[in-house]
Amino acid sequence: MEPFARLRGVAVPLLEDDVNTDQIAPVGNGHKIDQDYAEILFMRRRRLDNGALDPEFPFNKPQFARPSILVAGRNFGCGSSRESAVWAFMAVGVRCIVARVFADIYRENCLQNGVLPITLPEADAARFEQRVVATDGGADFEVDLVAQKITAPSGDVFNFDFPAADRLRLLEGLDDIGLTLKHADEIAAHEKRVAGQSPWQQRADIARYEQE
Amino acid sequence: MAATLIDKIWDAHVVARRVDGRDLVYIDRHVLHELHAPHAFRKLAAANRAVRRPDLTFSALDHTAPSRPGRTDRDADGKVIELIAAMREGSRRNGVRVFDLGDDEHGISHVVAPEIGMVLPGSTHAVPDSHACTVGGLGALAFGCGTTELEHILATQVIAMLKPKRMRIRLDGVIGSWAAGKDIALKIIAEIGVAGGRGHFIEFAGNAARALPIEGRLTLCNLAIEMGSRTGLIAPDDATIQWIAGRPWAPRGAMWDRAVEQWKDLYSDDDAIFDKEIVIDCGALEPQITWGTDPAQAFAIGGRVPDPADAPADRRAALERAIAYMGLTPGAPIEGLDVHRVFIGSCTNARLPDLEIAASIVRGRKVAPGVHALVVPGSGKVRRDAEAKGLDKVFRDAGFVWGEAACSMCAGSNGDRGEKGERILSTTNRNFENRQGAGARTHLVGPALAAAAAVTGKITDVRKLVAGGA
């Protein structure tokens, strides 16, 4: 995973609640392994009933053609666990999402991809959102995970909390599987213990094994 | 020390705590599906890593499998569907058994895993799908996950998580006639909202949960994710144990007795502390239906579309948007609206009792003119069992299409979709905009209301239909 320390760029506002992953990354039929994730981002939301691009939809506006930061509402990323809903944002350059509240699986999927999920203190969130709307892509915001702050173009600083464990992993870009495999012996010991205590948990088709 | 059931299962599966503070929770069974697993197989190969426990890992083909009668694994061009081919190849390379089309174990993973006896109380289960929580109905702790987590579990057989908070939802009372697990779930979501369970695992308790047959408990737990919770479960009891006994993969003989003895400890201690407790009165609960574009926008079948003018200012725009998308009139009743499509299926409501309830209404009636009605059993076994009872004939005689097991119209990823502007009564789990087809209007219901709509062509209170003999 690519380490994350600081990020400077355009912040795009999508100040709606309950934006679900079906909206962010629709699943079409004829689904392929290799998708153009930038193409599927808000594939339907981007368009009007007549099929034309909706000029009012933030991701269609020229000033947000290459956003780095997404600013969203409550329960962002609810619904399906599809990770393509994170990859689609990454494909257009987003590396940080600031939301009032994240859906649990979505937040995890962000962390797994080195996309920084930030929730500002409730007291500051509205003021930050106003700054983002007022800036309208005209100047850069800076996100600093080391100092745990976002600096608006106006110079206003917004501090945020971030779990120490996730922060370390993002800052160092640690390989998640590598970290876990340091515990390979403990995993093996668990398997051995359970195989004795509750053999059915360690053998999937136990009825068949019993007959053998 | 007093512990909740969630803690008991979690703690028994924690292998170690990682340097970053995450617990490594052992996964007893891992079921993959073809929409996401091919990516993970590819990443695993690129990193030169192997599947640690192929014998505890299984591959379902459900999201993109065709459901039309007489289906094959081919697309319209006669080629094997790409993700199905990739799933078979990745599974073979890694020594993972595929539940292929036509196998006894084929079907939607969340339906198949319980019915073959793969899921046992007190065990952990992971699927790269948010409805993994379904199997919590048997007292298992299930994790829906993304593709990177899936790759992690393949390589290590553990998931790395911080322990979430615990919530208990006590469901009191005796539900009314023609209401079932789905209606209880929609009632909960309407009360606590689509983010009400966020950050928590949920234990469902109380008379109304306990009174549900196992299939109804699977339906209730299936919808935990629509409450915002990554998982939900119900403590196993005698009904659970009887339901599992004799299933093909379940332990037998002395091993079964030993397992049952251990499962007796699977309950929340009387003085266990939950981070949040909610009580919901389900007394005389009526059949529920969603009117809007998220599952919390639900009410009893006699309900009226809300008027945005009565809503708090910050909710008004969202209500207006939902009402416009759904083609509704504020203040008008939901009953009586024309229905164009009915779908009975999915991991939520496509087990045998669901089809039996629907068939009991359809029997002797016809699908209304202009309605496209589709039944897709949740698994090959459900389909075979239903056919043994003659249910396929009931549905086909009435004018339903009797499909082959797959996820089908739930998310439309196999091409089964509604058209723009069509009103769909669907026994699935998400009524999001465009999910069942661009511009399609989904109302979530249980199988009884779905069947009633199919035969009347309108949103219909099933209780009036059966009373009036319409």
Side-chain angles (χ1 to χ4, degrees):
Chain A
M1 196 168 72
E2 227 177 293
F4 187 113
R6 285 178 198 84
L7 172 69
R8 237 188 120 74
V10 167
V12 51
L14 185 70
L15 300 175
E16 295 173 20
D17 294 342
D18 305 320
V19 172
N20 62 63
T21 55
D22 271 87
Q23 281 186 44
I24 300 167
V27 175
N29 48 334
H31 204 75
K32 304 284 181 210
I33 300 179
D34 294 300
Q35 304 263 323
D36 179 344
Y37 290 107
E39 181 105 331
I40 63 171
L41 179 65
F42 289 117
M43 199 169 68
R44 299 205 180 89
R45 279 293 308 273
R46 275 170 182 267
R47 295 190 179 273
L48 296 165
D49 280 351
N50 63 13
L53 286 173
D54 175 1
E56 293 304 311
F57 191 66
F59 282 85
N60 289 337
K61 294 182 178 178
Q63 65 268 41
F64 299 126
R66 250 345 248 183
S68 299
I69 303 156
L70 169 70
V71 183
R74 285 175 210 286
N75 198 27
F76 186 75
C78 60
S80 149
S81 62
R82 66 188 69 160
E83 206 157 308
S84 50
V86 175
W87 299 336
F89 284 120
M90 294 169 76
V92 299
V94 171
R95 283 291 307 273
C96 171
I97 302 176
V98 182
R100 290 285 185 116
V101 180
F102 286 91
D104 289 336
I105 298 179
Y106 193 81
R107 185 176 183 282
E108 185 64 41
N109 282 341
C110 286
L111 291 171
Q112 295 286 348
N113 286 280
V115 171
L116 184 64
I118 295 176
T119 297
L120 293 172
E122 193 67 30
D124 298 338
R127 200 162 52 86
F128 173 73
E129 288 163 5
Q130 283 159 13
R131 288 278 180 283
V132 170
V133 171
T135 305
D136 195 30
D140 286 351
F141 284 71
E142 186 172 315
V143 179
D144 184 340
L145 179 58
V146 180
Q148 295 185 210
K149 64 174 188 180
I150 305 176
T151 309
S154 59
D156 287 309
V157 171
F158 299 87
N159 297 301
F160 59 86
D161 290 330
F162 206 77
D166 295 331
R167 181 167 169 270
L168 176 78
R169 214 150 55 85
L170 285 171
L171 285 175
E172 303 200 0
L174 296 175
D175 165 31
D176 205 41
I177 293 177
L179 270 189
T180 295
L181 286 178
K182 290 183 176 160
H183 298 277
D185 290 349
E186 286 150 290
I187 297 171
H190 174 90
E191 287 170 334
K192 198 171 165 201
R193 190 175 65 248
V194 172
Q197 271 173 8
S198 314
W200 52 90
Q201 284 194 6
Q202 275 291 303
R203 294 206 144 183
D205 186 356
I206 188 119
R208 182 168 56 97
Y209 286 111
E210 277 177 278
Q211 285 171 359
E212 277 169 6
Chain B
M1 209 183 84
T4 70
L5 174 58
I6 292 162
D7 289 292
K8 287 181 182 179
I9 302 176
W10 179 282
D11 293 349
H13 285 81
V14 172
V15 166
R17 178 158 295 175
R18 220 165 56 172
V19 62
D20 61 357
R22 289 186 174 223
D23 282 343
L24 298 179
V25 180
Y26 196 84
I27 299 298
D28 295 324
R29 302 290 182 272
H30 192 197
V31 185
L32 318 176
H33 66 78
E34 80 283 14
L35 203 57
H36 300 325
H39 297 85
F41 281 140
R42 193 152 74 176
K43 286 167 78 179
L44 210 58
N48 206 15
R49 284 179 169 134
V51 176
R52 180 184 170 84
R53 291 296 300 268
D55 60 321
L56 301 181
T57 309
F58 301 90
S59 291
L61 303 176
D62 51 15
H63 280 68
T64 66
S67 61
R68 59 182 176 272
R71 60 113 180 268
T72 68
D73 58 4
R74 308 282 159 149
D75 61 20
D77 301 328
K79 285 197 304 202
V80 176
I81 293 162
E82 183 177 314
L83 291 172
I84 289 181
M87 189 65 171
R88 287 175 179 152
E89 199 273 323
S91 301
R92 186 186 49 73
R93 197 157 25 83
N94 288 285
V96 172
R97 161 93 201 274
V98 180
F99 297 155
D100 215 322
L101 306 185
D103 286 356
D104 282 353
E105 300 89 346
H106 179 262
I108 305 172
S109 78
H110 316 308
V111 176
V112 169
E115 87 184 0
I116 63 177
M118 180 202 290
V119 179
L120 300 173
S123 64
T124 54
H125 190 86
V127 188
D129 186 278
S130 61
H131 292 109
C133 49
T134 311
V135 307
L138 293 175
L141 192 63
F143 304 90
C145 56
T147 310
T148 308
E149 284 182 300
L150 148 67
E151 181 194 353
H152 184 279
I153 300 168
L154 286 175
T156 65
Q157 204 60 27
V158 295
I159 190 167
M161 280 182 78
L162 296 172
K163 198 183 205 174
K165 294 179 181 166
R166 288 70 98 195
M167 176 189 293
R168 178 160 58 190
I169 300 184
R170 204 182 79 204
L171 302 161
D172 285 347
V174 177
I175 61 176
S177 60
W178 296 100
K182 178 69 154 286
D183 305 290
I184 295 178
L186 289 177
K187 163 89 173 165
I188 297 170
I189 304 168
E191 287 210 7
I192 73 171
V194 290
R198 203 193 58 86
H200 294 76
F201 285 175
I202 298 176
E203 179 179 348
F204 299 103
N207 294 340
R210 202 50 66 213
L212 285 173
I214 299 303
E215 289 84 355
R217 297 183 192 182
L218 294 167
T219 300
L220 174 57
C221 290
N222 172 271
L223 291 157
I225 184 68
E226 312 315 328
M227 302 166 196
S229 177
R230 195 163 177 176
T231 207
L233 50 58
I234 297 175
D237 57 13
D238 290 345
T240 318
I241 288 166
Q242 279 174 29
W243 193 87
I244 295 171
R247 293 195 179 258
W249 292 25
R252 290 179 193 178
M255 189 76 84
W256 172 255
D257 296 339
R258 210 171 133 194
V260 169
E261 195 54 36
Q262 290 187 20
W263 295 340
K264 283 183 182 157
D265 294 330
L266 295 172
Y267 56 86
S268 288
D269 295 326
D270 284 345
D271 43 354
I273 308 285
F274 286 81
D275 298 284
K276 198 168 180 184
E277 294 234 40
I278 292 172
V279 178
I280 292 182
D281 178 9
C282 297
L285 182 72
E286 299 180 281
Q288 307 282 307
I289 181 169
T290 63
W291 61 264
T293 54
D294 85 44
Q297 290 170 331
F299 50 37
I301 181 70
R304 287 175 179 272
V305 178
D307 190 339
D310 301 335
D314 62 331
R315 295 298 301 163
R316 214 166 283 158
L319 282 182
E320 282 167 357
R321 185 185 163 88
I323 288 168
Y325 180 86
M326 294 299 291
L328 301 171
T329 309
I334 203 84
E335 260 185 279
L337 290 173
D338 286 340
V339 170
H340 309 98
R341 228 172 251 270
V342 170
F343 176 62
I344 298 173
S346 87
C347 56
T348 309
N349 275 127
R351 285 166 276 269
L352 189 60
D354 299 315
L355 305 194
E356 287 177 318
I357 288 168
S360 75
I361 293 153
V362 170
R363 187 172 284 117
R365 296 186 169 98
K366 293 282 182 203
V367 171
V371 175
H372 181 275
L374 173 62
V375 185
V376 176
S379 70
K381 177 173 163 49
V382 170
R383 194 170 195 270
R384 292 188 297 275
D385 290 352
E387 288 177 353
K389 292 180 168 243
L391 303 188
D392 58 320
K393 190 165 163 22
V394 172
F395 286 116
R396 283 193 275 103
D397 285 352
F400 275 83
V401 174
W402 177 247
E404 294 271 6
C407 298
S408 182
M409 253 187 82
C410 178
S413 40
N414 72 343
D416 293 345
R417 302 188 146 226
E419 302 290 329
K420 185 174 162 61
E422 282 185 343
R423 196 169 298 288
I424 306 173
L425 259 68
S426 181
T427 67
T428 55
N429 40 60
R430 289 185 180 132
N431 51 343
F432 299 155
E433 289 180 20
N434 305 311
R435 180 166 165 102
Q436 293 192 300
R441 296 163 170 165
T442 303
H443 296 271
L444 302 178
V445 289
L449 287 187
V455 298
T456 60
K458 293 182 185 307
I459 295 180
T460 300
D461 185 340
V462 62
R463 297 167 300 181
K464 294 180 190 165
L465 177 68
V466 294

